[in-house]
Amino acid sequence: MRLARVIRTGGIWALINPPSDIDKPPIGTIVQYKQSVDGGYEVYFPGVQGYAPMGGYGFSIYFEDLDNE
């Protein structure tokens, strides 16, 4: 898992495994993420079960990668 920070917030994000949602995560929230098999990302929010599937473009708009390798 890698780390990223929320830099913009939007509306309600749908999470899967298990299905739920997160409403406007606060800017500055640190999340974990990993690359998914389809080339996008799985974003995990602290204290929330499940993850938000996201493409690379969406990820770059809403998150700042903290693991610059």
Side-chain angles (χ1 to χ4, degrees):
M1 292 278 199
R2 298 176 73 181
L3 297 175
R5 176 178 326 176
V6 175
I7 57 173
R8 288 183 185 82
T9 191
I12 297 173
W13 292 6
L15 305 176
I16 58 176
N17 284 344
S20 63
D21 58 288
I22 186 166
D23 188 11
K24 298 178 190 149
I27 293 173
T29 300
I30 304 297
V31 299
Q32 292 182 308
Y33 75 95
K34 66 180 182 178
Q35 189 127 25
S36 61
V37 295
D38 66 2
Y41 296 97
E42 296 174 0
V43 180
Y44 297 83
F45 293 89
V48 178
Q49 289 187 341
Y51 63 88
M54 186 167 299
Y57 178 72
F59 185 86
S60 68
I61 290 173
Y62 291 103
F63 298 95
E64 171 188 20
D65 184 4
L66 298 177
D67 290 325
N68 296 327
E69 295 181 336

